[in-house]
Amino acid sequence: MTTSTILFDLDGTLTDPFEGITRSIGYAVEKMGGQAPDVEELRWCIGPPLWDSLKVLLGSEDKAVLDQAVAFYRERYTVTGLFENSLIEGIPELLTTLRKDGFLLHVCTSKPHSYAGRIVEHFGMMDFFGKVYGAELDGTRSAKAELIAHILSEENIQASETVMVGDRKHDLVGANANAVAGIGVLWGYGSREELAAENPVLIADRPQDIAAYFATR
């Protein structure tokens, strides 16, 4: 079956959120009584669900502790960090081409959909997407496998006609769990080795590579 629908991760794929996420995580760690690592040491936190990163940073699996840390993160992120962000070069042109070619596009992010929608709108991308799908504020559907399954059900689309585009293994693991083809991108926060291990149909160096791939489909 030919591709009809393309799902895009947000952080590291459509935008570069490095400053906003890392500074907000550092703020949360300090508010919890710890010492915030240098922001460069927090690059690995961009992509996985926030709860998973905080488990490692705080050395705790106590839900009450993690919920408090997430609340502190959001205390800064929702005011300042949300827009400490930049649009990836070439993304508007890619989205324009894909829409012109008739593909349906949706955002698929582990970030809460309420925040993700504000970011997509801030960068003028809302018209490209049918819907912005993300986690709930309590962390429900922050795992990509669960979120992609939800989107397939909500949109009534077949896995075989859907492709997931993302910069981390979590995007491709989630795609594979749902028998959805995955495309890995190298302008984000995952390495070529990390992405290749999940057997994507394409690893893209630039947004133009994705346009070229779908031009033959």
Side-chain angles (χ1 to χ4, degrees):
M1 186 176 291
T2 57
T3 301
S4 68
T5 305
I6 307 171
L7 310 179
F8 279 89
D9 174 49
L10 178 59
D11 292 340
T13 301
L14 297 175
T15 70
D16 183 353
F18 176 76
E19 184 178 356
I21 288 179
T22 57
R23 291 190 183 282
S24 298
I25 288 176
Y27 174 84
V29 170
E30 288 184 344
K31 293 284 278 189
M32 294 297 292
Q35 182 168 352
D38 183 83
V39 292
E40 285 297 330
E41 296 176 22
L42 295 173
R43 298 183 77 87
W44 64 272
C45 296
I46 300 176
L50 179 59
W51 270 266
D52 292 354
S53 299
L54 289 170
K55 281 180 188 177
V56 175
L57 291 168
L58 298 175
S60 175
E61 296 207 2
D62 186 317
K63 185 176 186 302
V65 169
L66 296 174
D67 286 350
Q68 181 60 72
V70 168
F72 283 137
Y73 170 91
R74 290 173 177 166
E75 190 173 270
R76 183 188 187 278
Y77 185 78
T78 56
V79 176
T80 305
L82 200 65
F83 302 120
E84 291 174 327
N85 204 341
S86 59
L87 191 60
I88 302 292
E89 184 177 354
I91 285 297
E93 293 81 0
L94 170 61
L95 300 178
T96 298
T97 296
L98 294 176
R99 288 294 294 123
K100 190 180 297 182
D101 290 345
F103 294 100
L104 300 175
L105 312 179
H106 300 291
V107 174
C108 173
T109 174
S110 293
K111 185 184 297 300
H113 57 78
S114 55
Y115 301 162
R118 290 172 63 192
I119 294 169
V120 171
E121 187 171 17
H122 174 74
F123 286 110
M125 295 189 291
M126 197 63 85
D127 287 347
F128 292 118
F129 296 103
K131 191 168 179 180
V132 176
Y133 284 96
E136 300 301 323
L137 287 171
D138 66 358
T140 300
R141 288 193 293 275
S142 60
K144 282 291 170 69
E146 186 182 3
L147 182 59
I148 292 172
H150 175 70
I151 295 172
L152 295 178
S153 175
E154 284 289 300
E155 297 293 332
N156 194 27
I157 49 178
Q158 298 298 310
S160 56
E161 60 180 310
T162 307
V163 175
M164 175 72 211
V165 180
D167 69 310
R168 298 298 309 274
K169 68 179 182 181
H170 311 82
D171 303 303
L172 304 182
V173 167
N176 288 334
N178 288 281
V180 166
I183 290 178
V185 305
L186 290 175
W187 55 83
Y189 291 87
S191 67
R192 184 179 293 276
E193 293 73 23
E194 174 185 325
L195 297 172
E198 305 307 328
N199 299 308
V201 296
L202 173 71
I203 296 179
D205 290 290
R206 307 170 303 161
Q208 299 95 303
D209 297 339
I210 296 176
Y213 175 83
F214 283 112
T216 65
R217 294 298 183 274

